[in-house]
Amino acid sequence: MGTDELSPPKMYITQREMANAGIPLAWRDFCAHLLPDLNRCRIDSFYAPWKCEKERVTWQKCQYDDYQRRMRILEKQNENAKAELLAAAEQLDS
């Protein structure tokens, strides 16, 4: 992750590299740097489900960690919005 728990992680692959690897736009997230190796392994092993486990688990862990980071950001935003509403309500009562 970045320096701050809520900051976005570093991108390890460029847009050009993702385009050259054939990664669709929908999959170009912070875990996209893991997809070229995973896809290459899948093609080389004819998509055998028991192959490429290390690459698949690494990519899934990255996806899960990114999901948790986004949920922490959402939780922080909700807490800030709730605090602002409470402050506004207190000002109206005064």
Side-chain angles (χ1 to χ4, degrees):
M1 260 193 227
T3 56
D4 180 13
E5 185 178 272
L6 302 178
S7 66
K10 179 182 175 189
M11 287 295 290
Y12 294 100
I13 187 169
T14 65
Q15 290 290 333
R16 182 177 304 264
E17 291 169 330
M18 287 187 274
N20 291 341
I23 298 173
L25 288 175
W27 293 98
R28 295 183 186 186
D29 57 7
F30 292 111
C31 300
H33 63 283
L34 301 169
L35 283 175
D37 292 336
L38 175 60
N39 289 337
R40 191 173 315 108
C41 179
R42 285 176 170 168
I43 290 169
D44 292 345
S45 65
F46 300 103
Y47 286 83
W50 58 89
K51 300 283 186 175
C52 311
E53 186 172 345
K54 185 186 96 173
E55 292 87 350
R56 181 181 49 80
V57 169
T58 303
W59 178 74
Q60 287 176 334
K61 170 88 167 82
C62 180
Q63 289 286 310
Y64 180 71
D65 291 344
D66 188 46
Y67 171 77
Q68 286 187 321
R69 180 189 62 82
R70 288 183 283 120
M71 290 302 106
R72 283 192 300 270
I73 291 171
L74 181 62
E75 186 177 327
K76 183 80 170 163
Q77 289 173 347
N78 288 341
E79 288 173 3
N80 290 343
K82 200 178 290 185
E84 288 176 12
L85 284 173
L86 287 173
E90 286 179 9
Q91 284 182 350
L92 289 176
D93 288 342
S94 301

